[in-house]
């Protein structure tokens, strides 16, 4: 399972991990299997781990007072799942994260990740680049949500994440985009004409 993580880290670094660094990474990340619908994190718990998805799909969501799920994030292979606010601030999470498919994940605590960052420059470089890309993606998503029509939001989503269209059902994608599943159904129907 660790081979995919090693390859992922190496793609972000100018220098590949040494054998010693690979051994440190392997011992720091613990493999775990999640069954479909099994929680990685439940609302009210402190997020203790970040997880690198080796195989499978997950979702991060919040349930409102009316019992409606609002998808915040969708994850597939080579994505990281966690609630950063909860793990950084050590506060109870307002989110649930669960497996949408049977999922193989590599877990690491915040303390172990900080230790790896102190010892392995490639990890620090990876985190920096991931943070930059995440900030850009969040800014684009916020701009799209407040500026674009539902049609345009779906068009951008389908263009940027075609693999998600295949992996997640329409109602989850609609929730992620902030639209109803009926609206998404209409958009997809009109796009096929």
């Amino acid at each position: 399972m660790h081979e995919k993580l090693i390859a992922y880290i190496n793609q972000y670094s100018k220098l590949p991990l040494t054998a010693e660094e690979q051994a440190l990474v392997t011992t720091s990340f613990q493999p775990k299997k999640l069954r479909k619908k099994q929680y990685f994190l439940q609302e009210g718990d402190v997020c203790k781990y970040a997880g690198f998805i080796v195989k499978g799909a997950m979702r991060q969501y919040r349930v409102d007072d009316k019992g409606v799920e609002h998808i915040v994030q969708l994850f597939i292979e080579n994505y990281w799942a966690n609630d950063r606010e909860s793990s950084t601030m050590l506060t109870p999470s307002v989110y649930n994260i669960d497996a949408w498919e049977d999922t193989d994940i590599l877990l690491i605590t915040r303390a172990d990740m900080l230790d790896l960052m102190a010892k392995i420059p490639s990890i620090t470089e990876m985190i920096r680049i991931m943070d930059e890309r995440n900030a850009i993606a969040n800014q684009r998503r916020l701009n799209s949500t407040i500026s674009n029509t539902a049609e345009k939001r779906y068009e951008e989503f389908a263009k940027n994440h075609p693999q998600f269209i295949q992996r997640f059902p329409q109602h989850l994608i609609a929730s992620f985009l902030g639209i109803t599943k009926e609206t998404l159904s209409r958009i997809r129907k009109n796009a096929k004409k």
Side-chain angles (χ1 to χ4, degrees):
M1 270 174 78
H2 291 85
E3 301 80 21
K4 282 193 172 188
L5 176 61
I6 301 293
Y8 182 90
I9 295 166
N10 282 335
Q11 86 181 24
Y12 280 95
S13 178
K14 294 177 186 85
L15 295 171
L17 294 173
T18 65
E20 182 181 306
E21 291 169 337
Q22 288 183 33
L24 272 173
V25 168
T26 300
T27 58
S28 298
F29 282 85
Q30 303 308 312
K32 183 170 178 71
K33 290 184 179 290
L34 297 173
R35 294 179 315 282
K36 182 176 180 173
K37 297 189 179 184
Q38 184 177 352
Y39 285 105
F40 171 78
L41 174 68
Q42 281 189 275
E43 179 183 356
D45 293 342
V46 174
C47 186
K48 296 178 183 158
Y49 300 97
F52 177 79
I53 300 173
V54 176
K55 177 179 170 278
M58 300 172 71
R59 64 186 178 144
Q60 180 178 359
Y61 61 98
R62 183 162 191 190
V63 180
D64 68 19
D65 294 339
K66 296 176 183 172
V68 177
E69 291 180 2
H70 299 277
I71 303 297
V72 176
Q73 206 57 260
L74 298 170
F75 311 105
I76 58 172
E77 291 84 5
N78 291 328
Y79 276 65
W80 293 84
N82 83 328
D83 176 354
R84 196 158 205 191
E85 180 181 356
S86 175
S87 66
T88 301
M89 306 300 289
L90 300 176
T91 55
S93 181
V94 298
Y95 301 109
N96 295 294
I97 302 176
D98 66 14
W100 186 253
E101 301 171 354
D102 289 344
T103 299
D104 294 337
I105 192 165
L106 292 169
L107 303 177
I108 187 164
T109 65
R110 179 172 169 74
D112 285 343
M113 182 61 93
L114 292 172
D115 187 52
L116 283 181
M117 289 171 69
K119 294 175 180 173
I120 305 174
S122 298
I123 300 284
T124 304
E125 186 175 6
M126 175 192 75
I127 297 293
R128 181 188 58 77
I129 293 168
M130 284 173 31
D131 283 349
E132 289 172 352
R133 290 180 179 176
N134 188 50
I136 291 166
N138 284 333
Q139 186 173 322
R140 286 181 178 167
R141 182 173 175 200
L142 177 61
N143 183 55
S144 181
T145 300
I146 62 176
S147 303
N148 291 340
T149 64
E151 290 81 0
K152 182 70 174 165
R153 275 185 269 165
Y154 178 72
E155 180 185 305
E156 286 178 357
F157 180 79
K159 177 182 161 202
N160 295 323
H161 304 288
Q163 67 280 28
F164 283 24
I165 304 291
Q166 307 301 317
R167 301 285 289 276
F168 294 100
Q170 200 166 295
H171 73 279
L172 292 186
I173 293 169
S175 177
F176 179 79
L177 294 173
I179 59 178
T180 66
K181 61 183 178 182
E182 294 79 15
T183 299
L184 180 55
S185 183
R186 179 182 46 79
I187 291 168
R188 289 176 64 153
K189 184 178 176 184
N190 289 342
K192 291 179 184 176
K193 290 180 180 180

